[in-house]
């Protein structure tokens, strides 16, 4: 998880649990990933965004998701909402830029979908992409899997 | 995801107080035991402590109230005062009526400063007239010991008969929940059914010489057990075994949720140097005789607040939207600031947002509607009586 100030990174690092008896998180092959643990699934110029299994596992039980407005714009690397667990608030960083065409209203009633189904029913926003070239700067599943392993090994 | 606040209330405050990032973390006698049991270790007040184990903070919190939780609180500081003048000495530093306490009983108290503000909160027990046992917060250890030590020196210079001993040879465990007493009963011959909330005993538990207090930080029935440090792991194992796994090792994450649900203050969040016990809603802890006589640091300020009423008061809130967190602004319906949240989170047992904060007097009555600002947006909130979850303290039959 990225950090801007020391306390946030320390707080974020507390979310990193020892890998003592935890199975590896699922990483899906046809998605792309950023280094703050969001995924994007592209379909033409339309993209669906959510947080990864690795992220939800570290976050714990999600109790609230702050969703952006339909029609607002997101920019790659900027935050567009937040996910709250019992003890922590985490910004959601968009892996792509574009216009938000749909948000997952189900999350208002069932924030736990993010934990139960991070890649399917726990999707967060759907975006009309501005610039498909942005996807090149994202990680594929192999790079992301390695990235997670390296991050977990540091703690 | 940018992590913005795991235990924000605790860790951010602590990173301000304890800039000792480079100093090695202290370990309790249970450190290896925690790791072996899946404990996720985090820095806390200079110690490496388990924030949770394999189960989630939510499950852990619910389990403590349904069955029981065993907490390592050996990072907290236990100390004893001995000598004929133990009681009059400590009364100069705390608001409790220690002279009026029956031997073998204790209470929550507050160490005050000259402005009536809180230096720390503590559970203090009068073991007998010449022995007081107290436990103070880990995060305040150095500050408290310096404070008590300085006053002890001047008191002794004036001929007072009092000395102290810091119990670093002991470790503190907390056992909380409905199964606490039944489980502990397996391990001791003393009849726990006649030991009530606030009472203290020195007794053998599992063959170890323990100090037992029927108290806790969760609102549940339970105990704090001071055991010789070298026996701490064995005692923890014995407790978990006797409960057949129903009592689970529980970490600091759940501990914070439990105390918030119980409406209990966390020093550093809900109580600080500039907040008086009256403002914090702890006037009940000021002994009646102390209210008449004073004789503790900051008494003039506190007695005046008791007479005129404090300008701000600690209250509880239920709120909509995202959970309110420490430092969230509280506003009235027109948007004017009326206070600040000092602790907040999602209640695992009630499945709703709960928070504690301070508001201007007059706006503190239960049912008062307000707005809490989270990330710049106002959300509906209502002042609520605490505890949020009813307490289950073991009290004598009426």
């Amino acid at each position: 998880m990225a950090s801007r100030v020391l306390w946030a990174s320390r707080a974020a690092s507390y979310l990193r649990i020892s890998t003592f008896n935890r199975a590896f998180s699922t990483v899906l092959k046809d998605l792309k990933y950023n280094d703050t643990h969001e995924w994007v699934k592209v379909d033409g110029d339309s993209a669906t965004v959510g947080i990864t299994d690795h992220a939800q596992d570290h976050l714990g039980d999600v109790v609230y998701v702050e969703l952006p407005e339909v029609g607002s714009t997101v920019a790659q690397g900027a935050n567009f909402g937040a996910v709250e667990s019992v003890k922590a608030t985490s910004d959601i960083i968009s892996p792509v830029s574009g216009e938000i065409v749909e948000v997952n209203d189900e999350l208002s009633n069932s924030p736990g979908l993010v934990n139960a189904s991070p890649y399917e029913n726990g999707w967060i926003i759907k975006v009309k992409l501005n610039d498909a070239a942005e996807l090149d700067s994202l990680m594929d599943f192999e790079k992301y899997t390695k990235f997670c392993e390296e991050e977990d090994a540091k703690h | 995801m940018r992590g913005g606040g795991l235990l924000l209330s605790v860790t951010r405050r602590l990173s301000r107080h304890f800039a000792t990032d480079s100093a090695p973390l202290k370990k309790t006698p249970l450190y290896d035991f925690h790791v072996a049991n899946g404990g996720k270790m985090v820095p806390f007040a200079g110690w490496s402590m388990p924030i949770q184990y394999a189960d989630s903070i939510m499950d852990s919190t619910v389990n403590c109230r349904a069955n029981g939780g065993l907490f390592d609180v050996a990072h907290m500081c236990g100390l004893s005062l001995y000598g004929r003048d133990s009681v009059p000495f400590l009364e100069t530093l705390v608001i409790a009526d220690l002279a009026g306490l029956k031997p073998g009983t204790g209470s929550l108290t507050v160490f005050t400063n000259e402005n009536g503000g809180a230096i720390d909160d503590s559970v203090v027990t009068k073991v007998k007239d010449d022995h007081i046992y107290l436990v103070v917060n880990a995060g305040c250890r150095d500050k408290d010991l310096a404070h008590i030590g300085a006053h002890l020196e001047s008191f002794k210079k004036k001929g007072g008969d009092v000395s102290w001993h810091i119990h670093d040879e002991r470790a503190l465990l907390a056992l909380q929940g409905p199964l606490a007493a039944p489980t502990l009963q397996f391990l001791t011959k003393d009849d726990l059914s006649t030991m009530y909330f606030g009472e203290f005993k020195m007794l053998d538990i599992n063959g170890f010489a323990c100090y037992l207090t029927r108290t806790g930080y969760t609102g549940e029935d339970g105990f704090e057990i001071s055991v010789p440090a070298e026996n701490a792991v064995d005692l923890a194992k014995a407790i978990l075994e006797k409960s057949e796994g129903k009592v689970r090792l529980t970490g600091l994450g759940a501990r914070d949720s439990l105390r918030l649900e119980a409406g209990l203050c966390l020093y550093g969040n809900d109580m600080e140097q500039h907040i008086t016990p009256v403002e914090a809603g702890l006037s009940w802890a000021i002994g009646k005789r102390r209210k008449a006589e004073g004789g503790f640091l900051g008494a003039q300020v506190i007695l005046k607040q008791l007479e005129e009423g404090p300008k701000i008061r600690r209250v509880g809130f239920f709120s909509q939207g995202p959970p309110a967190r420490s430092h969230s602004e509280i506003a009235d319906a027109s948007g004017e600031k009326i206070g600040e949240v000092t602790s907040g989170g999602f209640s695992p047992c009630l499945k709703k947002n709960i928070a504690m904060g301070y508001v201007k007097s007059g706006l503190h009555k239960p049912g008062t509607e307000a707005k809490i600002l989270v990330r710049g947006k106002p959300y509906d909130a209502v002042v609520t009586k605490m505890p949020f979850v009813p307490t289950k303290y073991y009290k004598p039959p009426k």
Side-chain angles (χ1 to χ4, degrees), chain B residues 62-383:
Chain B
V62 169
N63 178 70
C64 182
R65 298 204 191 282
N67 298 307
L70 181 63
F71 305 78
D72 176 0
V73 286
H75 59 318
M76 296 185 76
C77 179
L79 60 149
S80 281
L81 294 170
Y82 300 104
R84 204 183 45 231
D85 297 323
S86 304
V87 167
F89 164 66
L90 193 58
E91 281 202 352
T92 63
L93 304 180
V94 302
I95 59 180
D97 176 4
L98 295 173
L101 271 182
K102 204 174 101 186
T105 62
S107 169
L108 176 70
T109 194
V110 179
F111 280 86
T112 50
N113 58 36
E114 270 113 23
N115 302 318
I119 291 178
D120 198 5
D121 60 358
S122 163
V123 174
V124 66
T125 300
K126 183 160 92 182
V127 180
K128 37 195 182 93
D129 283 312
D130 59 1
H131 179 196
I132 296 178
Y133 168 69
L134 57 148
V135 180
V136 298
N137 284 305
C140 298
R141 180 193 164 111
D142 292 344
K143 176 178 68 160
D144 291 354
L145 295 183
H147 176 70
I148 297 169
H151 283 269
L152 192 67
E153 281 315 298
S154 14
F155 193 87
K156 277 160 68 163
K157 281 207 178 87
K158 295 188 203 140
D161 173 16
V162 58
S163 64
W164 66 342
H165 171 77
I166 321 300
H167 290 294
D168 287 332
E169 76 286 0
R170 297 186 148 268
L172 197 65
L173 302 179
L175 175 60
Q176 303 280 302
L179 294 179
T183 305
L184 204 59
Q185 190 63 86
F186 280 121
L187 299 172
T188 185
K189 289 204 192 76
D190 281 58
D191 181 7
L192 298 175
S193 72
T194 56
M195 184 182 184
Y196 298 106
F197 179 67
E199 290 178 4
F200 173 94
K201 266 186 210 240
M202 287 184 175
L203 76 182
D204 261 14
I205 301 177
N206 203 46
F208 311 135
C210 294
Y211 300 172
L212 186 68
T213 315
R214 197 149 194 162
T215 190
Y217 196 46
T218 61
E220 295 298 312
D221 178 30
F223 303 86
E224 290 192 350
I225 312 165
S226 168
V227 59
E230 63 272 18
N231 302 134
V233 174
D234 286 336
L235 181 58
K237 284 183 179 163
I239 290 170
L240 296 171
E241 271 161 39
K242 285 297 177 195
S243 80
E244 291 170 355
K246 292 214 169 100
V247 171
R248 287 190 221 151
L249 279 171
T250 307
L252 296 185
R255 186 169 164 80
D256 189 44
S257 291
L258 288 159
R259 70 93 194 165
L260 184 60
E261 288 180 337
L264 300 170
C265 290
L266 171 62
Y267 186 83
N269 277 51
D270 314 298
M271 251 207 297
E272 290 202 65
Q273 306 262 105
H274 60 277
I275 296 177
T276 72
V278 182
E279 291 162 343
L282 299 178
S283 300
W284 59 264
I286 308 173
K288 197 164 161 193
R289 173 179 57 86
R290 313 303 315 274
K291 284 180 187 167
E293 296 177 0
F296 50 89
L297 293 173
Q300 343 76 263
V301 175
I302 287 173
L303 264 36
K304 186 155 177 257
Q305 281 187 349
L306 285 171
E307 210 186 286
E308 299 176 359
K311 297 210 169 62
I312 58 171
R313 286 171 204 259
R314 182 174 65 102
V315 292
F317 287 94
F318 282 135
S319 69
Q320 301 300 313
R325 309 278 185 193
S326 188
H327 303 297
S328 295
E329 193 181 294
I330 306 169
D332 63 15
S334 69
E336 204 183 297
K337 181 170 180 179
I338 58 168
E340 194 175 279
V341 172
T342 50
S343 285
F346 185 81
S347 163
C349 296
L350 301 175
K351 303 275 188 274
K352 50 205 295 199
N353 297 332
I354 56 176
M356 236 187 245
Y358 285 82
V359 293
K360 286 189 195 159
S361 283
L363 298 169
H364 63 280
K365 306 249 166 72
T368 306
E369 285 175 355
K371 302 270 186 204
I372 297 183
L373 274 68
V374 181
R375 287 187 292 280
K377 287 199 214 144
Y379 294 91
D380 289 336
V382 63
V383 176

Side-chain angles (χ1 to χ4, degrees), chain A residues 34 74-79 93-98 133-138:
Chain A
N34 64 11
V74 286
Q76 187 182 54
N79 76 316
I93 312 299
S94 185
V96 291
S97 308
E134 276 182 340
L135 299 168
D136 297 337
S137 61
L138 300 174

